[in-house]
């Protein structure tokens, strides 16, 4: 049984690009840039992966034609990573060719830990070829990030740092929030020191305030980095940050394959579950 989209509308802008456009324009109006995220993951069929590449290409062209202040994010499992790495690379490079033609940017999202090494390997190959047109996400809670962050920073990679949203075992990831916050702060320091423009992705007030104080204490300008948050969460905070002169960006997901993303948002905070329940039973 397909669940009704109304359940996900807080976290997902729509099931089509056209439905998401008014939300993007509203954010742009407040000085907030956007990353559009066509939802889906773990494609096992080549025809579906080929169709997804074309959908991503069309998305870049639609953004360009609509004049939106938006880039895109992708998942490599949508491009066939689970099928064959070389095939996935061909699809990724085909997409990045179009991004470069439009002087656009593609963020490679990080997925579960079983994909981390392959994702980083493919990013490194793409970065050599496409440079400023491609970036990656690193999750602070993974133990391996203490090695990945310095290595990628030394390369000059465009890195989006987030806490991490997948359920991972203790051998793979930190399990308690104080430790995750400490790791996030240490990695933020490295990125601010070693990279041109880190993307700091968090809804956590402690981390947001820590970043603001850190750049003030170290005489770093507000233009040196970007705060990022997810659509449907802390929009007023983002508007406030933008009005204070910080660079801001909201990840705006859309698409028909919204359920796995929706489920992760529910599991993150009990308040999200209460919001959905109130939506379901509202008369």
């Amino acid at each position: 049984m397909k669940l009704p989209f109304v359940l996900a509308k807080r976290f997902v802008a729509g099931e089509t690009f056209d439905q998401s456009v008014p939300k993007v324009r509203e954010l742009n109006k407040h000085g907030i840039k956007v990353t559009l995220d066509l939802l889906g993951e773990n494609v096992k069929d080549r025809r579906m992966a080929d169709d997804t590449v074309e959908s991503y290409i069309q998305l870049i062209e639609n953004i360009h034609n609509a004049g939106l202040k938006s880039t895109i994010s992708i998942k490599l499992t949508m491009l066939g990573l689970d099928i064959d790495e070389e095939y996935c690379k061909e699809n990724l490079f085909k997409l990045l060719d179009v991004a470069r033609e439009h002087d656009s940017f593609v963020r490679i999202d990080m997925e579960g830990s079983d994909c981390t090494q392959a994702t980083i390997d493919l990013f490194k190959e793409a970065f050599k070829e496409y440079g400023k047109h491609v970036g990656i996400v690193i999750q602070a809670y993974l133990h391996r990030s203490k090695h990945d962050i310095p290595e990628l920073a030394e390369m000059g990679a465009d890195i989006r740092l987030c806490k991490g949203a997948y359920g991972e075992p203790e051998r793979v990831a930190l399990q308690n929030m104080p430790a995750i916050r400490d790791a996030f702060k240490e990695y933020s320091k490295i990125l601010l020191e070693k990279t041109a423009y880190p993307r700091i992705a968090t809804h956590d007030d402690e981390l947001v305030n820590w970043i603001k104080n850190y750049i003030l204490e170290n005489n770093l300008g507000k233009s040196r980095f970007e705060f990022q948050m997810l659509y449907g969460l802390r929009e007023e905070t983002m508007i406030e940050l933008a009005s204070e002169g910080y660079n801001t960006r909201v990840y705006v997901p859309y698409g028909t394959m919204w359920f796995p993303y929706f489920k992760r948002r529910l599991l993150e905070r009990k308040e999200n579950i209460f919001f959905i329940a109130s939506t379901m039973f509202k008369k």
Side-chain angles (χ1 to χ4, degrees):
M1 182 184 72
K2 190 177 189 298
L3 291 172
F5 175 73
V6 67
L7 296 179
K9 70 176 184 178
R10 175 179 179 179
F11 308 114
V12 181
E15 293 192 288
T16 67
F17 172 77
D18 287 343
Q19 288 172 358
S20 71
V21 168
K23 281 87 167 180
V24 176
R25 292 199 192 282
E26 183 66 22
L27 290 165
N28 286 170
K29 189 175 76 175
H30 289 291
I32 301 168
K33 293 179 180 177
V34 163
T35 294
L36 275 165
D37 179 8
L38 175 59
L39 293 172
E41 50 200 83
N42 299 113
V43 169
K44 308 292 186 184
D45 177 77
R46 282 179 182 256
R47 182 177 296 179
M48 185 177 288
D50 291 343
D51 288 346
T52 301
V53 177
E54 294 307 317
S55 295
Y56 279 143
I57 287 171
Q58 189 62 54
L59 176 55
I60 289 175
E61 292 174 349
N62 286 344
I63 289 168
H64 178 76
N65 293 335
L68 303 176
K69 293 178 182 176
S70 176
T71 58
I72 75 168
S73 71
I74 66 166
K75 285 185 168 60
L76 292 182
T77 59
M78 289 277 281
L79 299 184
L81 182 62
D82 291 339
I83 300 169
D84 179 77
E85 281 192 34
E86 190 60 32
Y87 167 67
C88 180
K89 176 185 170 182
E90 290 170 8
N91 284 337
L92 175 61
F93 280 32
K94 180 180 179 181
L95 173 63
L96 288 170
D97 283 339
V98 176
R100 185 160 58 186
E101 286 170 17
H102 288 287
D103 194 24
S104 189
F105 179 85
V106 175
R107 174 77 58 196
I108 300 174
D109 276 339
M110 192 56 74
E111 304 181 60
S113 60
D114 55 334
C115 297
T116 303
Q117 189 60 56
T119 299
I120 290 175
D121 290 344
L122 284 172
F123 165 74
K124 287 177 179 176
E125 291 191 65
F127 184 70
K128 287 177 186 175
E129 177 66 26
Y130 296 94
K132 69 175 185 175
H133 299 286
V134 64
I136 194 168
V137 178
I138 295 295
Q139 301 175 107
Y141 72 164
L142 293 183
H143 298 313
R144 62 170 294 159
S145 294
K146 64 179 177 287
H147 304 295
D148 293 330
I149 286 279
E151 181 185 9
L152 291 166
E154 200 62 41
M155 288 170 50
D158 187 313
I159 299 169
R160 176 182 192 259
L161 178 66
C162 67
K163 285 179 179 173
Y166 294 84
E168 300 286 2
E170 190 172 354
R171 61 182 173 78
V172 171
L174 298 167
Q175 301 295 308
N176 70 82
M177 192 53 66
I180 294 171
R181 285 192 180 110
D182 287 345
F184 194 102
K185 292 172 185 177
E186 288 306 307
Y187 300 151
S188 295
K189 289 178 186 177
I190 294 170
L191 295 180
L192 285 164
E193 179 185 347
K194 298 285 189 180
T195 68
Y197 191 71
R199 323 294 182 124
I200 308 299
T202 183
H203 307 104
D204 187 329
D205 279 330
E206 179 180 326
L207 294 176
V208 169
N209 291 329
W210 182 88
I211 289 286
K212 291 167 81 170
N213 290 331
Y214 183 82
I215 67 162
L216 187 64
E217 291 167 3
N218 290 274
N219 297 313
L220 300 172
K222 293 177 181 179
S223 62
R224 274 282 287 109
F225 74 102
E226 182 177 86
F227 277 122
Q228 295 193 352
M229 294 187 186
L230 300 176
Y231 178 79
L233 300 171
R234 310 295 303 275
E235 184 174 328
E236 289 182 5
T237 300
M238 287 300 263
I239 292 171
E240 184 179 331
L241 287 169
S243 71
E244 292 173 359
Y246 292 97
N247 294 325
T248 53
R249 183 179 298 272
V250 170
Y251 258 52
V252 177
Y254 78 96
T256 57
M257 292 186 280
W258 48 262
F259 184 74
Y261 177 88
F262 166 71
K263 183 180 177 182
R264 284 196 290 275
R265 299 290 79 79
L266 286 190
L267 294 175
E268 280 176 345
R269 293 170 65 89
K270 63 181 183 294
E271 291 88 345
N272 294 344
I273 296 175
F274 295 150
F275 176 87
I276 298 303
S278 68
T279 300
M280 286 178 66
F281 298 110
K282 194 176 288 182
K283 294 183 180 179

